[in-house]
Every structure is written in C-alpha cells, then in structure tokens.
Amino acid sequence: MQAGSVVIYRDRGQLALGILQKIKTNTKGFVELLGEGDKRLALQNDRIFLDSKETIASDVAPKDRKKRLKLIRERISSYSDSTDIRELWELLKAEDNSTFTWRELAELVVSGNDPLAMAGALDALWHQSLYFKEKNSGSFSPRDPNSVEQGLLQGQREAQKARQQQYFLTWVETRMRTELLADPPEGSQQFINLIKGLALYGDAYEQRPAAQQLLNIIGPVSYTHLTLPTILLV
C-alpha cells in the first residue's frame, strides 16, 4: 500500500472504502485514511482487509474523488450481488467444524485475481448469516445443514406473513373507503386479533407493541362509511 491507495476496511459491520493518506511512523500499526465522507480517521493496520489496487491522488478535486469512490463501490456491490453464497456453502457444508478465512472462501468463488471481486465476495459474506457464521473478524465457519434448513423455513414463514399482512392492509383500506363487504383474505385473523386485543385491553395487552406497530403502518385513513373498530369488532 502507498499514499492514494483505496483500501477496504470494516465500519460498524459494513464494508467501507478509504484512501490511504499515510502510515503513521510514530504510532505502531496505525494508518491514516480519508473516508468516503471526507472524514479523516486513524485505523489500526489490521482493520484493513484488502488493498483494492485502485489509487486516487491527493490533488484530485473532492467532487471527482467522491465520484471515483462511488464507482469503486458500485463495482464491489455488483460482484457482491453475483456471489452465490449458497453454492459456496454447498461445497463446504460437510466441514461445519472448520473455520476459513474470508480470503480462502473468496478464492473459491472468484476467478482471476481481481481485488474488487474479492472485496465483493467479502461483502457478500458480511451481508449473510444463514450459511456461514463469522467466528472472528474475517473468519467464517459453515453452518450445519439442520441450522440452514431451519433458517430457510423461518425465512419462508416471515415472507408468507409479510404477504398476508400486505393483503390484510389492502383489505382494510378497501373496507374503510367503500361499502364493499368482502371477507378478509386468508391469514388475516392474526392481524385482526392484534387490533382487537389492543382495543379491548389497551396498555395491558401483552402484544401491544406489535399491535401498535400494525396500526402505525395502517396510518390515518380517510373514510366514508366505516371505522376500523366497526370493521374489526362488530
């Protein structure tokens, strides 16, 4: 690395880009970076995961510097989106007691030696928790098949509930605005029970946070014939 090098580090669990300004000779193991928001920061050298091999000179105008960083990030995001983490897990799932560095994993899915593709694979690993568990910073272990299966089932249940909630919200809005007396769609009873419980028991209702969140999503609705309590409690 040298001054002007664009490096990859981690900030609050997310991939971040920084332009190397200098290696601090009077402080062991620290480097000075210029972040994506033009914020200067000092990091320990071991927090830098990768040198992107891209450089941005110090005399580049701030507007152009931000544009260059944005383009680099877009390339990394493109590689991240195309990284098949499930396929990688399928390859290694029998070794769920083993731990791999992110580089070892990235090299299994990246052809060639493109640092931005490697950064994309790292970003993909950081954005998932279903297939690999991060043991230490930058080290991952494949999850066991049963854990992955349970996670997939949970994801399917959550997706189904989200769809049912959207159907329910559409039904509520229709009932509030018209005289249409159609029955609520399948799966609506769970949401009806939440609102009924809040109306009946108020602050004492044990599922009050979930019910209030649902009402907040519904929000104020102008209506002509019916109110929400009339729709749900009668």
Side-chain angles (χ1 to χ4, degrees):
M1 295 186 298
Q2 59 185 0
S5 295
V6 178
V7 297
I8 312 297
Y9 68 100
R10 196 176 194 179
D11 183 30
R12 300 177 185 178
Q14 303 296 317
L15 181 146
L17 303 177
I19 305 171
L20 183 64
Q21 301 297 290
K22 62 180 179 180
I23 298 176
K24 294 191 171 186
T25 56
N26 60 340
T27 308
K28 184 178 180 181
F30 276 80
V31 295
E32 184 177 305
L33 300 179
L34 184 64
E36 291 172 270
D38 278 349
K39 181 180 179 180
R40 292 185 178 273
L41 61 157
L43 294 180
Q44 284 188 305
N45 195 43
D46 60 6
R47 284 190 59 191
I48 294 177
F49 284 83
L50 182 66
D51 181 356
S52 74
K53 304 303 181 183
E54 301 281 339
T55 59
I56 300 177
S58 59
D59 58 353
V60 172
K63 181 179 179 180
D64 294 329
R65 181 171 61 239
K66 290 180 181 179
K67 186 181 296 185
R68 284 283 310 281
L69 288 173
K70 181 182 178 182
L71 289 173
I72 293 171
R73 176 169 284 280
E74 287 174 351
R75 288 176 61 191
I76 292 173
S77 295
S78 178
Y79 283 123
S80 178
D81 291 342
S82 64
T83 300
D84 192 334
I85 294 295
R86 182 187 176 97
E87 183 178 274
L88 178 62
W89 174 79
E90 290 282 359
L91 181 65
L92 300 170
K93 63 183 180 182
E95 302 185 54
D96 55 301
N97 290 322
S98 301
T99 300
F100 303 89
T101 68
W102 75 267
R103 283 185 179 274
E104 289 172 329
L105 296 175
E107 287 170 355
L108 293 174
V109 295
V110 173
S111 58
N113 192 31
D114 184 348
L116 297 188
M118 295 287 285
L122 174 59
D123 189 48
L125 286 165
W126 278 339
H127 274 91
Q128 63 78 48
S129 59
L130 175 61
Y131 294 106
F132 290 87
K133 179 179 181 180
E134 189 166 10
K135 293 287 191 176
N136 298 303
S137 181
S139 296
F140 298 84
S141 179
R143 291 192 182 275
D144 66 88
N146 182 62
S147 174
V148 171
E149 181 180 1
Q150 292 303 312
L152 289 171
L153 290 174
Q154 179 63 26
Q156 291 170 2
R157 286 191 291 267
E158 291 174 356
Q160 180 183 38
K161 183 176 180 180
R163 288 193 299 270
Q164 291 173 337
Q165 178 174 294
Q166 188 55 55
Y167 296 150
F168 171 72
L169 294 175
T170 301
W171 174 79
V172 167
E173 184 174 1
T174 302
R175 289 294 307 272
M176 298 276 288
R177 294 183 183 278
T178 72
E179 295 184 20
L180 182 64
L181 299 179
D183 291 333
E186 182 181 355
S188 294
Q189 195 59 49
Q190 58 187 315
F191 308 112
I192 293 173
N193 290 343
L194 281 175
I195 297 174
K196 281 185 176 181
L198 183 62
L200 291 172
Y201 302 110
D203 291 344
Y205 184 42
E206 61 182 7
Q207 296 190 65
R208 182 178 181 277
Q212 190 61 59
Q213 183 181 35
L214 180 61
L215 287 178
N216 290 341
I217 294 173
I218 294 173
V221 179
S222 61
Y223 55 91
T224 56
H225 305 286
L226 299 171
T227 64
L228 193 57
T230 301
I231 293 170
L232 300 181
L233 297 178
V234 174

